[in-house]
Amino acid sequence: MDERRTVRQFAPDPVPLQVVRDAVACAATAPSGAHQQPWTFVLVQDPEVRRRIREAAEEEERLSYDGRLGEEWLAALRPLGTDEVKPHLTDAPALIVVFQQRYWLGPDGAKRKHYYVDESVGIAVGMLLTALHLSGLAALVHTPSPMRFLAEVLGRPANEKAFAVLPVGYPAADCQVPDLVRKSLDQVLVEF
């Protein structure tokens, strides 16, 4: 897992869809609060839909980089070289948009609150990233803010809120990965 890296440049090569589906199936086995499994994974391959997602994401990102983020946040992003332009949303052959279900919505319109939604969906996304990596695919966790446009573009119901967009594919031949250093075990583990 120490070899896993986030990439922002993807090759146009198609990905084996069964591998992606298997990774989502793995993610769906994540533990969840009260075993409510409050997630929906939307696999987007259609180039037109990916284009619409990119346009909307770049509009939100433009607003963020032009003032919503604040200087401290922008300073944290500078070493990564990110900006409002998001070609990975159309370059990657597949996007997995992860939605969290804030409540269960029955066929008759009945509602039931879900518990520990952020924690549950976060664990599922971690498992999804692991499964994709172990399958030989690269991914990026993209979280444009706000993300309401994703529910609109993808026609999701009112109980679902976008959590993350994961472009998935193979790294481009000229892919640049920031030379980041992970904290050592003694920096993250406290033992008693």
Side-chain angles (χ1 to χ4, degrees):
M1 287 308 299
D2 192 45
E3 295 174 6
R4 190 207 61 78
R5 293 293 183 268
T6 295
V7 302
R8 289 182 171 79
Q9 295 93 24
F10 290 89
D13 307 337
V15 294
L17 290 181
Q18 193 56 50
V19 170
V20 176
R21 290 181 187 117
D22 289 346
V24 170
C26 176
T29 69
S32 61
H35 194 62
Q36 293 178 317
Q37 305 167 73
W39 44 65
T40 301
F41 302 89
V42 179
L43 177 57
V44 182
Q45 302 168 73
D46 184 293
E48 174 59 22
V49 177
R50 292 192 338 259
R51 182 195 61 75
R52 290 175 49 212
I53 289 172
R54 178 179 175 179
E55 285 179 0
E58 287 180 342
E59 179 58 31
E60 291 297 344
E61 295 282 342
R62 213 174 341 277
L63 295 170
S64 293
Y65 278 87
D66 286 346
R68 276 198 298 219
L69 294 181
E71 185 49 42
E72 187 175 346
W73 194 341
L74 290 171
L77 292 174
R78 277 190 198 102
L80 302 176
T82 62
D83 60 21
E84 69 276 3
V85 181
K86 305 299 178 190
H88 50 266
L89 295 172
T90 50
D91 292 349
L95 302 177
I96 301 172
V97 184
V98 183
F99 288 88
Q100 52 182 214
Q101 299 170 6
R102 303 308 297 175
Y103 54 90
W104 174 82
L105 187 60
D108 61 353
K111 293 181 182 181
R112 184 178 67 228
K113 180 178 170 52
H114 280 164
Y115 298 95
Y116 303 104
V117 175
D118 292 334
E119 297 85 350
S120 301
V121 176
I123 293 167
V125 168
M127 291 177 64
L128 177 58
L129 289 168
T130 301
L132 292 166
H133 170 71
L134 294 175
S135 298
L137 296 173
L140 161 71
V141 178
H142 180 71
T143 54
S145 180
M147 292 191 275
R148 286 184 294 276
F149 68 89
L150 290 164
E152 294 167 15
V153 170
L154 298 172
R156 302 309 307 152
N159 68 318
E160 293 185 0
K161 179 182 176 190
F163 186 82
V165 180
L166 280 71
V168 176
Y170 297 105
D174 60 347
C175 180
Q176 296 179 2
V177 179
D179 186 21
L180 303 175
V181 177
R182 291 191 170 107
K183 292 180 180 180
S184 65
L185 184 61
D186 64 332
Q187 290 175 299
V188 300
L189 176 64
V190 177
E191 295 187 54
F192 288 91

